[in-house]
Each structure stands twice: as structure tokens, then as C-alpha cells.
């Protein structure tokens, strides 16, 4: 039985030190804007401001624009949803342990790469960098997450992990955003939303691993099912939850297994709960894997996450009929989903059986533009609403059994 959509409730702090949705009048400086939770912003360099309920750099500017707040802890997890630009002259990212605009850590998406920089007395040094196998395109919305603990610095975006170890500014407690526009006309090219700071261990972590549907391709920024699931858990009074979206376009289970160490790096046994939602397999079948191989890979991946300590929610596969979809896809999908339904208790802690929902899960439902994009693969907002119901309720069954 589905739980009715919750009414809005105040979000509970419980481990979350700050939250900002950047709601306000266009052109309001961030330094004059009050966050939803937490302290106040200081523009430590440049003039970040609001635009259409996002944070952005000012128009026609040639500068880094950095803003910080002080949650009172140097050891934090920072998260923001970034609208990025592949232009090598523009960047969007996070700043950490910023004593001022010239002395800080910058963790950004720059020229299509995921990079860790330090800035010491005004000079930048690149300390770590990785390039996503799935190229970043102009306008992509990507969740960026930085984890700072002691001398360890980790930065994750688009399924890639950059790491570095340093004691520079290790005790500084100011963190925030950097929106660089070094080619002029930057306003609106790089944007930030849903900035959050987590401290301590009294929150829950909910990770989402999968492909482009998990990332949110085809839906609006705050309507993807990972975003909605976490919002609704908090609104139900469950307390603060850190959302970690690991979705990558065209990702297969094999890709997820290759990146498993980066995924498991988020696991923290001291937290209230560590849940991972695994929604995968469609691309394996699309690229030619058999139903047996796809199912076995899914089982192995989920069991490995359980061994790490995660509570696993497995999600059944949806129909698709885009160009290039193999003739036997639907039969293979039915086989994999049937095996998941029969055996999920042997490799997962809960199931979100979205394929059993007659709105989106039957063969041919992908032709219904009420729920699906015209590409016959990806979901629009209404489709994500349906997935949200099932995934949220699956997680709630975990909560109810403890």
C-alpha cells in the first residue's frame, strides 16, 4: 500500500548545519540573502547573487566569485546541485576551509573535469583531477559533493572521485560556493542550487546508484526521484538525510562495479543509516548482455554493497523502445524482473517494484508522454513522481522494521 504524499513539514536539523535553496529576488547579493538553515553568507571574492532562485555569478564578469558561511566545523560534507558549462573559461564548484578569498580549497567542475585546487596567498595549484568517462555537456545538472575529514579531502561529481591529503587550512570552518566566469557574460551560465552542509553523524545517508534516469535526465532539477525521495523522507519527520546521486548516463552494472570503491567511500557506519538505491540493468541489456548475466551482475553488486554495510533497495527495470533497443529486450527485462521479485531477499533489504506499476512499468508504457520523454526511455516529471512513491515506500519499510 502506498503512503500518501506527505504534507510539508519543517526540516529537522539533526546533523545538517546549513541549507540554501536560493529563493529570493533576482540580483540580490548572496551576502544580503538569508539561507533556509544555518548562518549567513559572505561574498569573500566577487559578487555571487540570485537569479531565478539559483545562485550565480554576475553578468559580464571576469573573476572567481566565491561565497562562504561558517557552520562551526572544519570537518564537513558539502553538497550542491550545479548547472555546469564545458567551456574551459567557466567553472562551478564548492569551496572549503576558506580563511579568505585568497586562502582556500576549491573543488570544482572546470572544462569538463573534476578538480581539487588549493589557493594559497592568491595562487592556485591543481592537486587532483579526473575526467568523467561520460563527457559533461553544457547545461548538465550535476550533484557535487566534497568530504573533508582531518587531512583527507574527497570530491565527487558525475561518478568520478578526486582525492588529496593535506593539512593546509585544516582547522578553518568556513565553506561555500565558487562560480567562476573568466570569459565574461557568465550570469546564468553556471548556477548552483540546494547547497547543504552536514556535520557530525546524526543524519542518514541515502545514495542512488544507476544511470541517466537516476541522474535526472529529462526532468527538472528538483523533480528527479532521488531529490524527491530525500525531501519526502525529511518531510515525514525522519530527520536530515544526505542525498548522494551517483547516476551516470549510459552506466551499466559493470561500470558501477568498477566505481564501487568510490561509492563505498561514502559509507559511514557511525551514521544513523546508510541506504543505497540500486536502479540498473537496462543499459546492460541494451548493450547486449544476456538476462542471466545482467541479473547475476546485479546480485553480485548488491551483495557487495551489503558486505560493506549498506542497506540495499533494489529497483526493477522499466520498458524502453528507443532506437537501437535489441529485439529481445522486453523478454530479457521480464526475466530479470521476475528473478528480482522472486529472490530479492537474498541480495537486498527492500524492493521498489516500479515495473509492476501500470502507469510506467508495462511494455508500451514508454509511449505514454504523460510519464515518458519522447525518446521512449527517460521519464518526465510525472514519471519521476511514480518512481518516488515506490522508492520512498521501500525505504520506509526499512525504517519500520527497526
Amino acid at each position: 500500500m502506498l503512503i500518501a504524499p506527505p504534507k510539508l513539514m519543517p526540516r529537522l536539523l539533526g546533523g545538517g548545519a546549513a541549507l540554501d535553496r536560493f529563493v529570493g529576488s533576482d540580483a540580490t547579493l548572496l551576502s544580503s540573502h538569508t539561507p533556509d538553515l544555518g548562518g549567513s553568507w559572505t561574498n569573500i571574492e566577487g559578487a555571487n547573487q540570485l537569479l531565478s532562485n539559483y545562485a550565480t555569478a554576475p553578468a559580464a564578469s571576469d573573476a572567481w566569485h566565491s561565497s562562504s558561511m561558517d557552520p562551526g566545523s572544519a570537518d564537513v560534507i558539502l553538497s550542491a546541485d550545479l548547472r555546469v558549462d564545458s567551456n574551459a573559461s567557466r567553472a562551478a564548484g564548492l569551496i572549503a576551509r576558506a580563511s579568505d578569498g585568497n586562502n582556500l580549497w576549491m573543488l570544482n567542475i572546470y572544462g569538463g573535469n573534476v578538480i581539487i585546487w588549493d589557493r594559497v596567498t592568491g595562487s592556485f595549484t591543481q592537486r587532483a583531477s579526473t575526467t568523467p568517462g561520460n563527457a559533461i555537456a553544457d547545461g548538465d545538472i550535476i550533484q557535487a559533493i566534497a568530504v573533508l575529514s582531518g587531512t583527507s579531502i574527497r570530491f565527487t561529481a558525475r561518478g568520478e572521485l578526486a582525492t588529496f591529503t593535506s593539512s593546509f587550512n585544516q582547522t578553518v570552518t568556513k565553506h561555500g560556493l565558487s562560480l567562476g566566469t573568466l570569459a565574461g557574460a557568465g550570469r546564468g551560465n553556471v548556477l548552483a542550487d540546494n547547497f547543504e552542509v552536514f556535520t557530525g553523524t546524526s543524519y542518514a545517508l541515502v545514495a542512488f546508484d544507476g544511470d541517466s534516469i537516476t541522474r535526472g535526465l529529462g526532468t527538472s532539477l528538483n523533480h528527479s526521484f532521488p531529490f524527491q525521495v530525500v525531501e519526502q523522507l525529511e518531510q515525514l519527520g525522519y530527520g536530515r538525510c544526505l542525498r548522494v546521486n551517483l547516476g551516470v548516463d549510459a552506466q551499466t552494472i559493470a561500470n558501477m562495479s568498477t566505481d564501487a570503491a568510490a561509492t563505498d567511500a561514502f559509507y559511514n557506519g557511525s551514521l544513523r543509516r546508510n541506504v543505497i538505491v540500486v536502479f540498473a540493468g537496462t543499459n546492460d541489456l541494451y548493450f547486449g548482455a544476456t538476462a542471466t548475466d545482467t541479473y547475476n551482475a546485479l546480485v553480485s553488486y548488491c551483495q557487495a554493497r551489503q558486505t560493506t554495510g549498506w542497506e540495499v533497495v533494489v529497483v526493477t527495470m522499466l520498458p524502453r523502445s528507443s532506437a537501437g533497443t535489441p529485439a529481445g529486450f522486453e523478454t530479457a527485462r521480464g526475466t530479470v524482473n521476475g528473478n528480482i521479485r522472486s529472490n530479492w531477499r537474498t541480495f537486498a533489504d527492500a524492493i521498489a517494484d516500479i515495473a509492476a506499476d501500470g502507469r510506467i512499468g508495462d511494455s508500451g508504457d514508454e509511449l505514454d508522454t504523460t510519464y515518458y520523454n519522447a525518446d521512449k526511455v527517460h521519464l518526465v516529471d510525472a514519471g519521476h513522481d511514480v518512481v518516488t512513491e515506490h522508492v520512498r515506500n521501500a525505504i520506509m519499510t526499512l525504517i519500520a522494521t527497526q
Side-chain angles (χ1 to χ4, degrees), residues 81-210:
D81 293 313
L82 305 174
R83 181 202 182 278
V84 299
D85 193 322
S86 63
N87 188 308
S89 299
R90 304 187 186 117
L94 304 164
I95 59 170
R97 297 177 176 174
S99 48
D100 54 49
N102 289 314
N103 295 276
L104 50 78
W105 288 96
M106 184 177 291
L107 311 106
N108 63 15
I109 300 169
Y110 182 45
N113 300 308
V114 176
I115 307 177
I116 296 175
W117 313 78
D118 65 20
R119 190 178 194 183
V120 182
T121 61
S123 298
F124 283 103
T125 302
Q126 182 175 305
R127 296 301 187 181
S129 177
T130 182
T131 301
N134 190 286
I136 293 172
D138 290 353
D140 279 355
I141 304 293
I142 297 174
Q143 185 187 20
I145 301 174
V147 181
L148 293 98
S149 179
T151 61
S152 172
I153 300 168
R154 305 201 319 265
F155 180 46
T156 299
R158 197 58 173 266
E160 299 294 329
L161 174 66
T163 64
F164 192 65
T165 300
S166 173
S167 60
F168 170 64
N169 270 14
Q170 184 177 340
T171 61
V172 176
T173 60
K174 296 178 181 179
H175 318 278
L177 293 168
S178 179
L179 302 170
T181 57
L182 302 182
R187 191 168 189 249
N189 284 303
V190 289
L191 302 167
D193 200 6
N194 305 316
F195 176 79
E196 298 191 78
V197 182
F198 289 83
T199 60
T201 58
S202 60
Y203 56 93
L205 187 156
V206 185
F208 300 84
D209 206 356

Side-chain angles (χ1 to χ4, degrees), residues 354 357 359-360 371 381-391:
I354 61 175
D357 191 302
R359 293 169 290 182
I360 63 172
Y371 300 103
D381 286 1
H384 277 266
D385 290 344
V386 177
V387 178
T388 296
E389 293 176 10
H390 290 277
V391 174

Side-chain angles (χ1 to χ4, degrees), residues 51-397:
L51 175 66
S52 301
N53 297 332
Y54 296 95
T56 189
S61 59
D62 279 324
W64 296 105
H65 297 267
S66 298
S67 306
S68 69
M69 61 169 59
D70 190 345
S73 177
D75 290 347
V76 293
I77 296 180
L78 310 174
S79 173
D81 293 313
L82 305 174
R83 181 202 182 278
V84 299
D85 193 322
S86 63
N87 188 308
S89 299
R90 304 187 186 117
L94 304 164
I95 59 170
R97 297 177 176 174
S99 48
D100 54 49
N102 289 314
N103 295 276
L104 50 78
W105 288 96
M106 184 177 291
L107 311 106
N108 63 15
I109 300 169
Y110 182 45
N113 300 308
V114 176
I115 307 177
I116 296 175
W117 313 78
D118 65 20
R119 190 178 194 183
V120 182
T121 61
S123 298
F124 283 103
T125 302
Q126 182 175 305
R127 296 301 187 181
S129 177
T130 182
T131 301
N134 190 286
I136 293 172
D138 290 353
D140 279 355
I141 304 293
I142 297 174
Q143 185 187 20
I145 301 174
V147 181
L148 293 98
S149 179
T151 61
S152 172
I153 300 168
R154 305 201 319 265
F155 180 46
T156 299
R158 197 58 173 266
E160 299 294 329
L161 174 66
T163 64
F164 192 65
T165 300
S166 173
S167 60
F168 170 64
N169 270 14
Q170 184 177 340
T171 61
V172 176
T173 60
K174 296 178 181 179
H175 318 278
L177 293 168
S178 179
L179 302 170
T181 57
L182 302 182
R187 191 168 189 249
N189 284 303
V190 289
L191 302 167
D193 200 6
N194 305 316
F195 176 79
E196 298 191 78
V197 182
F198 289 83
T199 60
T201 58
S202 60
Y203 56 93
L205 187 156
V206 185
F208 300 84
D209 206 356
D211 49 45
S212 50
I213 294 179
T214 295
R215 182 174 75 80
L217 182 65
T219 189
S220 53
L221 172 59
N222 290 343
H223 221 100
S224 68
F225 82 86
F227 182 89
Q228 290 196 85
V229 165
V230 167
E231 286 296 287
Q232 292 183 15
L233 289 173
E234 292 184 345
Q235 291 159 8
L236 283 164
Y238 184 54
R240 291 302 301 282
C241 300
L242 170 61
R243 166 179 52 97
V244 176
N245 191 330
L246 300 168
V248 176
D249 298 2
Q251 184 162 242
T252 64
I253 300 168
N255 299 143
M256 291 160 56
S257 297
T258 299
D259 294 335
T263 298
D264 287 346
F266 283 103
Y267 177 84
N268 182 347
S270 297
L271 298 182
R272 196 171 72 239
R273 179 169 250 115
N274 292 264
V275 176
I276 186 165
V277 177
V278 180
F279 183 12
T282 183
N283 287 321
D284 299 75
L285 296 180
Y286 181 87
F287 291 122
T290 65
T292 298
D293 288 345
T294 299
Y295 173 71
N296 289 340
L298 179 66
V299 170
S300 296
Y301 182 76
C302 291
Q303 288 176 334
R305 304 289 71 70
Q306 286 183 315
T307 298
T308 298
W310 294 96
E311 293 176 285
V312 176
V313 175
V314 64
V315 184
T316 50
M317 282 191 287
L318 293 175
R320 64 188 293 172
S321 56
S322 57
T325 301
F329 176 87
E330 187 56 33
T331 299
R333 180 179 79 97
T335 299
V336 175
N337 284 344
N339 286 334
I340 293 172
R341 293 182 185 117
S342 297
N343 305 307
W344 66 265
R345 290 177 179 83
T346 66
F347 61 90
D349 301 278
I351 182 174
D353 193 0
I354 61 175
D357 191 302
R359 293 169 290 182
I360 63 172
D362 295 332
S363 177
D365 284 348
E366 75 276 14
L367 306 178
D368 185 351
T369 54
T370 301
Y371 300 103
Y372 279 85
N373 191 284
D375 65 9
K376 305 173 188 176
V377 179
H378 298 100
L379 299 168
V380 296
D381 286 1
H384 277 266
D385 290 344
V386 177
V387 178
T388 296
E389 293 176 10
H390 290 277
V391 174
R392 181 198 69 215
N393 291 338
I395 294 174
M396 291 300 292
T397 64

